[in-house]
Amino acid sequence: MTDAVLSLIASSSLLILSQLSPGPDIFFVLRTSLAQGYRAAIAVATGINLGFCLQAIIVCTLGTQLARQPWICWVLAAAGLWLLHLAHVIMPPSRIRAHLAARRSGRSQEASSSLFQDAPAQQQPPGTARLLLRGFLCNILNPKCMLFIAGISIEALARHGTQHTWFAPALVLSLVGAAQLGWMLWSGLMQLPRMQRWYARSAFGIDAVFAALLWLFALALFIPLLKEASALIF
């Protein structure tokens, strides 16, 4: 029971941290927050979360069934490969080299502050329904989101889903709740000028931590396949 609860907490925490990493969802929410205010950003985030909820239900439902299959180790390994790819996209060697070169030359660490530059002037936001729809389409048309959910949750489903009937729905609720909480938190914080400057300065460090966590999750997903391989060899 304790391990299952800790798995829920770990997956939810990684999800909240991941929301600060570059991607269409966070870019859309932050740009809306900066340009149109907190309420508009929450409407967009809620639409994104509706799509996220649908994808999480699909992953967790199929994941529970996959956990009973003998070839689940290959599914876990595929999810692990995706997490490694995502970590590479977020923190490629070229970005690390550019960051180190910038630090040696004393220049600005990142051009990430461009996220906050040239934000559109305050304007009357579209209606709530339109913002919800835009957020929903932004998420549901991004298949990478489903792969990411699988990457952070399918190993936990394989471990706890067959033991606890409540685990899969609890995982969906915890992920969706964490996603909405994260969007509300980041949207609110981005209204503060000091937070805007901090995020611009810290974008590299945030992404580096997230990429490291993805590596750890990915390596954990390879463990069942390694066990199967060692059983065949020995």
Side-chain angles (χ1 to χ4, degrees):
M1 175 73 74
T2 302
D3 289 343
V5 174
L6 290 177
S7 293
L8 295 178
I9 295 174
S11 299
S12 301
S13 300
L14 178 60
L15 175 61
I16 292 178
L17 178 61
S18 73
Q19 288 174 318
L20 280 179
S21 186
D25 289 351
I26 184 61
F27 185 80
F28 192 13
V29 171
L30 293 185
R31 292 292 290 181
T32 303
S33 178
L34 291 168
Q36 299 175 359
Y38 183 73
R39 290 185 178 181
I42 294 304
V44 168
T46 302
I48 289 174
N49 217 22
L50 289 175
F52 180 85
C53 179
L54 179 59
Q55 297 197 57
I57 290 173
I58 294 173
V59 170
C60 290
T61 301
L62 294 178
T64 303
Q65 297 175 0
L66 289 173
R68 303 188 182 100
Q69 304 301 320
W71 36 264
I72 182 62
C73 58
W74 293 100
V75 177
L76 296 176
L81 287 175
W82 167 251
L83 289 186
L84 291 178
H85 169 71
L86 185 59
H88 176 76
V89 170
I90 292 171
M91 193 58 58
S94 59
R95 184 180 179 190
I96 297 174
R97 289 193 297 268
H99 176 77
L100 295 176
R103 292 196 61 174
R104 285 194 295 268
S105 63
R107 291 183 286 109
S108 174
Q109 293 183 4
E110 289 278 322
S112 58
S113 59
S114 61
L115 175 63
F116 306 103
Q117 295 172 355
D118 303 323
Q122 289 286 339
Q123 55 183 336
Q124 186 68 27
T128 301
R130 181 171 295 181
L131 290 171
L132 283 169
L133 179 60
R134 289 178 180 177
F136 177 79
L137 293 176
C138 177
N139 179 270
I140 205 68
L141 296 178
N142 179 19
K144 294 180 180 180
C145 179
M146 186 174 293
L147 292 172
F148 176 75
I149 297 172
I152 66 173
S153 63
I154 197 169
E155 191 272 339
L157 285 167
R159 184 186 306 172
H160 304 295
T162 55
Q163 302 177 18
H164 308 290
T165 56
W166 53 265
F167 186 79
L171 182 60
V172 172
L173 291 176
S174 64
L175 290 177
V176 172
Q180 189 68 25
L181 176 64
W183 294 131
M184 295 172 64
L185 174 64
W186 305 133
S187 297
L189 290 176
M190 287 304 155
Q191 300 301 307
L192 305 175
R194 182 174 297 179
M195 283 303 302
Q196 295 179 11
R197 293 192 294 270
W198 172 82
Y199 182 74
R201 293 194 304 267
S202 307
F204 182 87
I206 292 171
D207 291 343
V209 170
F210 181 48
L213 289 174
L214 288 177
W215 267 88
L216 292 176
F217 268 78
L219 294 177
L221 291 175
F222 283 105
I223 292 176
L225 182 60
L226 294 176
K227 288 181 178 179
E228 290 289 331
S230 61
L232 291 175
I233 296 173
F234 302 105

